[in-house]
Amino acid sequence: MLTVYLDQNKWIDLAKALYRADAKPKERENVERLKRAVDAGRLRFPVSEVHLMEAYRIGDRERRLQLASVFAAFSDGWFIASRQARISYELDAALRKLLTAERMDGQQVFNRAS
């Protein structure tokens, strides 16, 4: 599975392509193609805490809900662990690599909601 991190403006572009009446047919087609790849398990777009904080600041409730629905549909429940959890994991992995031959699998950085 390919993991792709999207900046907030790209998440917004996905939402516009899905929800705006003036979206170009090619934009909608590209979004549908990406969604099929997500549904097939070939692609994932994890959501981060920064995405959620930025979405929270959107004043227009309808736009905020549309963006949230895009997060849900395209992340398929995948999220990036918090900054604190990632730093802890990376320090642990670096120390293990330095002090032992043991390697970590990286699953603590990307997780899936139940």
Side-chain angles (χ1 to χ4, degrees), residues 43-102:
L43 191 59
R44 67 180 171 187
F45 298 99
V47 175
S48 73
E49 62 188 332
V50 174
H51 293 127
L52 299 176
M53 288 186 295
E54 289 180 6
Y56 176 77
R57 292 194 307 240
I58 295 173
D60 183 300
R61 183 178 189 274
E62 184 176 346
R63 283 184 42 226
R64 191 172 55 249
L65 290 173
Q66 290 172 347
L67 184 58
S69 74
V70 171
F71 287 161
F74 285 82
S75 71
D76 196 31
W78 288 98
F79 63 93
I80 299 175
S82 70
R83 182 173 184 260
Q84 182 179 4
R86 289 191 319 269
I87 289 172
S88 176
Y89 169 82
E90 289 170 6
L91 285 171
D92 191 39
L95 288 172
R96 284 175 190 247
K97 183 177 179 180
L98 182 65
L99 301 174
T100 70
E102 186 179 343

Side-chain angles (χ1 to χ4, degrees), residues 6 10-20 23-39 43 45 69-70 73-74:
L6 294 179
K10 297 305 170 194
W11 282 106
I12 290 169
D13 288 346
L14 288 174
K16 286 178 180 177
L18 284 172
Y19 291 104
R20 284 182 57 171
K24 296 176 184 169
K26 188 68 173 172
E27 292 171 338
R28 281 206 172 98
E29 181 183 318
N30 287 335
V31 169
E32 290 168 6
R33 188 176 304 130
L34 291 172
K35 183 64 172 104
R36 285 192 300 272
V38 168
D39 292 343
L43 191 59
F45 298 99
S69 74
V70 171
F74 285 82

Side-chain angles (χ1 to χ4, degrees), residues 98-111:
L98 182 65
L99 301 174
T100 70
E102 186 179 343
R103 298 190 61 110
M104 297 178 72
D105 65 8
Q107 282 303 103
Q108 294 178 344
V109 175
F110 295 104
N111 294 297

